Each structure stands twice: as C-alpha cells, then as structure tokens.
Amino acid sequence: MHDLRWKFRAYGLNGSRQTTWIISAVAGFFGVLGLILLVPAHSQAAECLRFPSDGERLFDISRNGNLVGSQRYSFSRHEGRFLVRSDIEIQLNRGSSVLYRYRHNAEESWQAGRLQTYVSDTDDDGARYLVRAERVDGIFEGRVNGQSFTVSGFVVPASFWHRDTPASQVLWDGRDGMIKVVRGLDRGPELIEVRGETVEARRFELSGQIQRILWYDAHCALVRMSFLARDGSEFVAELR
C-alpha cells in the first residue's frame, strides 16, 4: 500500500471550519463518559494497555467458516506520536466470479491520548471513500470525498483496536466520516481459542449504528471480532 500520509499533507485542510457545535459537544461528552465507564470493566485486568505495544497483529477473516480475507494492524511510535496502520482485504468468490470485494487502508496518528490525524482510502465493492482529517484547536475536522465534516476532538474511531471502543457511546466511522451512536454491553469473561491456545477474553456486544461482537484479552488487546453481513452471513476476524 502506498503511504497515505503524503496524501494528507497534499490534500490541504485549510478551508473554512464548518463547526457543528452541537455534535461536537455531545460527542465530546459521551467520549469522556465512555472513558470513565470503561474503568470498572477492565479494573481487574493486569496491565490493561490503552495503546498496544509496537508490532503487528494479523487477523484471518472468515465467512461461514471459509477464509475470505485478512486484517492487519501495525503499531509503532515515532517522535512522541503513536501510529496505527490498518489494512483490510476481503473478497467473496463463487467459482471464478467475484461476488464482493472490500479494501480499506488507513493511518491514525495519536498524541497525548487523542487522535490527531486520520487518513483512509476505502473501496467498498466499487464505491470509493477518501477521508482526510486532523485535530485543530480541540476539534476534529476533515473531508470525505471532498465534503467537509466536523466532530469532537475526543472521538474514538471505529477501528476497534482501541480499548475504549466498547465503553464509548459514540464512535467516529473513518470510512465515511460520520459519527455513529452505539451502545456497548459487557458480557463478561469468556474462554476462547487464540493462536491455538485457550485464553480468557472479555466479550462486548456493540449495538446501534455499528454492530459488532468484540473480544479483548487481559491486556485489553483485540483478539476476535464478529459481525453480520447484509445477507445475514457471519464474518469473524480471529487473531492469527
């Protein structure tokens, strides 16, 4: 994948700020509330990390038990910033025909616990989304396919690796630049198989405008995720 950061610099987000103060205030309030609500859920976990250690985490994506793609997170630190790169590839085939193809490449930059910049390029079966955003004066603003948007600077993106995801009552969708209202339900610890070993992970169910089932290990790292497709089939991403 080409480095997306140069696109962010070249794109130029110096236009007018169409600040939607109501959305920003509500999203900011719920974002902070989410951080508070998260503490009891992980209070007994050893070394619950807000930001993962440097390295890669690769997930196999299956549909109805058949391998259909992969998702890779790359975590690193550079000059005081925490950098996240996400790459998703999904392809559904029937014989020699391609029924559906999805590709998503994104880069996140964090500093002082806040998302600072976000750049993504998504191809959802031919529908293209280009997102460029940055945090300016406490507000997160940017463009998706040339259209401006403004949200709270306290947003947690819907990339699911962040430990505060299930505690947030709003998530920012980096695919289309929209705020999504969600509700996270803590289902408690559950024994699952990860990399051939049985481990205890905490299960959360997200409902609302984004629906996912998420499992995080004792270090609050994502180890499994599942969701339903439009046709009712189940997609599962499991840590390789």
Side-chain angles (χ1 to χ4, degrees), residues 17 34 58 64 74 215:
R17 301 177 194 167
L58 182 62
N64 295 336
S74 300
W215 288 264

Side-chain angles (χ1 to χ4, degrees), residues 159-184:
S159 43
F160 306 112
W161 62 266
H162 199 294
R163 72 167 196 183
D164 296 340
T165 300
S168 301
Q169 297 188 25
V170 292
L171 293 173
W172 178 68
D173 193 339
R175 173 181 172 274
D176 59 15
M178 301 292 291
I179 283 288
K180 305 294 175 67
V181 178
V182 297
R183 179 175 180 268

Side-chain angles (χ1 to χ4, degrees), residues 189-202:
E190 183 177 300
L191 294 178
I192 64 172
E193 187 172 302
V194 177
R195 293 174 172 172
E197 297 182 0
T198 300
V199 301
E200 183 177 285
R202 200 167 196 93

Side-chain angles (χ1 to χ4, degrees), residues 110-224:
W110 295 71
Q111 190 171 38
R114 302 297 178 203
L115 182 62
Q116 301 297 319
T117 63
Y118 185 96
V119 183
S120 70
D121 184 345
T122 305
D123 183 346
D124 187 354
D125 205 31
R128 192 79 177 274
Y129 298 90
L130 298 173
V131 176
R132 311 286 183 267
E134 65 178 338
R135 191 172 193 263
V136 180
D137 297 330
I139 301 298
F140 203 63
E141 57 184 33
R143 294 175 180 270
V144 54
N145 291 351
Q147 298 297 314
S148 300
F149 64 83
T150 305
V151 297
S152 167
F154 297 98
V155 294
V156 173
S159 43
F160 306 112
W161 62 266
H162 199 294
R163 72 167 196 183
D164 296 340
T165 300
S168 301
Q169 297 188 25
V170 292
L171 293 173
W172 178 68
D173 193 339
R175 173 181 172 274
D176 59 15
M178 301 292 291
I179 283 288
K180 305 294 175 67
V181 178
V182 297
R183 179 175 180 268
L185 181 61
D186 184 353
R187 289 298 191 182
E190 183 177 300
L191 294 178
I192 64 172
E193 187 172 302
V194 177
R195 293 174 172 172
E197 297 182 0
T198 300
V199 301
E200 183 177 285
R202 200 167 196 93
R203 172 177 171 151
F204 294 90
E205 296 181 5
L206 285 186
S207 59
Q209 291 179 292
I210 296 177
Q211 299 181 7
R212 294 287 190 280
I213 301 178
L214 307 166
W215 288 264
Y216 295 85
D217 67 13
H219 299 287
C220 300
L222 181 69
V223 292
R224 179 187 287 176

